[in-house]
Amino acid sequence: MTEAGATLYELRDVERRYLKGSAEVAALKDVDLDIAAGEIVSIEGPSGSGKSTLLQLLGALDTPTAGTVRFEGQDLSRARDSVLTEIRSHRIGFVFQQFNLIPTLSAADNVAIAMAPKRMTRSERRQRAVQLLTQVGLGQRASHLPSRLSGGEQQRVAIARALANRPEVIVADEPTGNLDSESAAEVMSLLVGLRQDSGVTIIVATHDDEVARHATRRIRIRDGRIVATPHGQAA
Ligand SMILES: Nc1ncnc2c1ncn2[C@@H]1O[C@H](COP(=O)(O)OP(=O)(O)OP(=O)(O)O)[C@@H](O)[C@H]1O
Ligand SMILES: [Mg+2]
């Protein structure tokens, strides 16, 4: 785990272009950004501004068309697929707006199947899944199917799943976008508590000011560029 305060990400002159029909769209351009271990960074901006595109680069799900994305000093733009896969499965936990739970599996099994293949017996996996569910306040719901859980509870299962391999970073794309304000507040205080307890770095894209105010640093993007943050300082 990178020491708190040490540089975790370094993005330089990052650009991500997409081909849309015959036209090229620059979803991100001129992005320079450093993120330190232990930060909670919010990425804010209007629809289509490039938030998800940026999170995909930070999550090693995508690589830039120009510029460099370094994670713990390693240039992801040049990394082999096997390295990217390793980073995605062991270093980064993902949380999405739609929860993405498997409807036919219990909460515990949704968490257990995310555990990377290593020498763990079924019962060890199950035990760790229940531990993680307890950590997110759902120890009593371990055997429930997602359909028997509220939206907020489903998102907490998804957070437990994201923690399955003890990631360094949680990348969350509008994690409260489908939740009522009370559940959204619970999800955010859970994330803030996880960061306090384990030092995990949290990067969250959001439209919601209530979510962003939990961030230790707020970044705003518009038309693919980082603009001044809501606090007024240059990002
Ligand atoms: N796979 C893709 N192919 C082509 N264009 C894309 C692709 N993904 C994103 N884009 C374009 O890149 C731009 C940024 O999209 P992105 O999804 O990053 O925005 P966003 O800020 O996450 O928006 P939202 O708030 O609606 O989720 C948009 O113009 C979008 O249409
Ligand atoms: Mg998006």
Side-chain angles (χ1 to χ4, degrees), residues 185-204:
E186 279 170 19
V187 160
M188 279 319 290
S189 53
L190 172 62
L191 289 174
V192 168
L194 290 173
R195 179 251 187 179
Q196 255 156 21
D197 297 344
S198 71
V200 69
T201 305
I202 296 172
I203 305 169
V204 54

Side-chain angles (χ1 to χ4, degrees), residues 18-20 25 27 45-54 173-174 207:
Y18 290 113
L19 215 52
K20 240 189 192 171
V25 179
S47 185
S49 57
K51 301 181 297 295
S52 296
T53 302
L54 179 56
D173 198 348
E174 312 220 18
H207 281 107

